[in-house]
Amino acid sequence: MQIKELADRAGVTVKAVRYYESRGLITPDRASNGYREYDAADVQVVREIRALLSLGLTADETVPFVDCLRAGNDRADVCPASLQAYRSRIAEIDRRISELSSLRDELTELLHDAESYRTEETA
């Protein structure tokens, strides 16, 4: 299939397919006329990449999942490297949650101080 059909079947844009190709996540064959040619496995890979990107992973972080599919697995997340990528992403989210919680606490304290100050000044 050609790039447009792959994009349609995978639910992405042609531009996204080209981006995935530029990142080395998919590697199409070339027809004698130079057109890219994709197969059904590429549809599955592109769908997986799209799903992982929607979870906040970067294109580079999708590599273990793509490799897992390319190794013949039915799922992209059953390989040790994929599981580690999940763990790393979860750790990053936990770190960000902690950072945001600290910021929220600091802002809440500043707000309380500011509100108390206004109350004291007007009394």
Side-chain angles (χ1 to χ4, degrees), residues 27-59:
T27 307
D29 292 327
R30 293 283 180 164
S32 59
N33 61 5
Y35 288 3
R36 296 171 175 92
E37 289 196 350
Y38 302 91
D39 58 27
D42 292 315
V43 174
Q44 183 182 11
V45 168
V46 170
R47 285 179 180 159
E48 186 68 30
I49 294 167
R50 181 184 54 146
L52 292 165
L53 293 175
S54 75
L55 293 172
L57 277 77
T58 66

Side-chain angles (χ1 to χ4, degrees), residues 3-8 11-23 25-26 36 38 46 49 53:
I3 194 167
K4 175 74 170 120
E5 184 180 352
L6 169 64
D8 290 345
V12 299
T13 63
V14 169
K15 185 176 179 178
V17 173
R18 287 191 181 119
Y19 173 72
Y20 302 157
E21 184 180 344
S22 75
R23 303 297 297 189
L25 298 170
I26 55 174
R36 296 171 175 92
Y38 302 91
V46 170
I49 294 167
L53 293 175

